[in-house]
Amino acid sequence: MSFYKIEKKTAIQAWDFECLKRKELNEKANEFAAKFGATAVFTTDATRHRFYAVAFPDGVPTFGHPSLWTAATAANRYTTTPKRKAPTGLSKEHRELWALWDEGYPSEAVSREFLWSSLGLDWGVLFICGLSIFRFKNTIYFNTSAKPNLEFGAIEITGTEYSTAAEDFKNGK
């Protein structure tokens, strides 16, 4: 693993833009989930950040009849969505739930590709090499075994410098 930092304006702008878009999506998804008395759950990978599903307190749906919802299990991160097929005797309620679900569903995703390219990284390589990243003040620090294109402004630093910045970031200095 190698440690890098970048202070280029384009990288900082890409970071800020992604943060802004995430905040907008999170607000929309939280408002959507609140309609059902649930919380929004998100998923983030190398290429995008998106709304995943809703999670009810204690994993038990409190909006409508519980049989209208899928089961919250470890496989689906303890989230739930309306079932695709209506349970017996609940067709009307099922249609109403789906109409409410479709209204305002946050289907957009925040692309992370602009950030990676501003750092001189190829997102496809990040799947294999991994990445740890944070921003402290006007510097983005990252740790990866991927080799960034240094023409974009990333500077290789020592592990000590990275650790010191990470500790300062953690402590809010």
Side-chain angles (χ1 to χ4, degrees):
M1 298 295 263
S2 296
F3 305 95
Y4 299 90
K5 71 178 181 180
I6 189 167
E7 299 171 316
K8 292 283 187 177
K9 188 175 182 177
T10 54
I12 300 300
Q13 288 173 336
W15 180 281
D16 290 343
F17 182 75
E18 182 178 319
C19 289
L20 174 67
K21 289 301 183 185
R22 278 185 186 221
K23 182 180 178 204
E24 290 171 356
L25 175 61
N26 291 359
E27 288 172 355
K28 183 176 180 182
N30 287 328
E31 184 178 316
F32 173 79
K35 292 193 308 189
F36 304 101
T39 57
V41 177
F42 302 89
T43 184
T44 303
D45 59 30
T47 60
R48 66 187 172 162
H49 172 78
R50 68 180 180 89
F51 171 70
Y52 181 71
V54 298
F56 287 99
D58 301 321
V60 179
T62 55
F63 185 89
H65 196 277
S67 66
L68 294 169
W69 298 88
T70 58
T73 65
N76 62 17
R77 299 174 53 199
Y78 299 100
T79 63
T80 188
T81 58
K83 286 184 177 176
R84 296 287 175 202
K85 185 177 176 188
T88 305
L90 294 173
S91 294
K92 179 181 178 238
E93 293 87 347
H94 185 257
R95 280 191 305 276
E96 290 171 354
L97 176 59
W98 267 106
L100 188 59
W101 184 265
D102 287 340
E103 182 183 309
Y105 181 88
S107 60
E108 63 273 8
V110 177
S111 174
R112 307 194 74 207
E113 293 180 42
F114 183 60
L115 175 61
W116 303 144
S117 64
S118 74
L119 298 175
L121 294 168
D122 177 0
W123 67 265
V125 176
L126 296 178
F127 279 115
I128 300 165
C129 296
L131 176 78
S132 177
I133 187 170
F134 65 95
R135 177 178 171 187
F136 182 60
K137 299 183 180 174
N138 282 327
T139 305
I140 298 171
Y141 294 88
F142 56 101
N143 173 9
T144 183
S145 58
K147 295 295 179 203
N149 183 341
L150 299 180
E151 292 177 12
F152 286 82
I155 301 167
E156 190 166 4
I157 60 174
T158 64
T160 304
E161 182 179 350
Y162 179 88
S163 297
T164 301
E167 190 66 28
D168 288 347
F169 171 74
K170 181 181 167 186
N171 294 327
K173 288 188 177 181

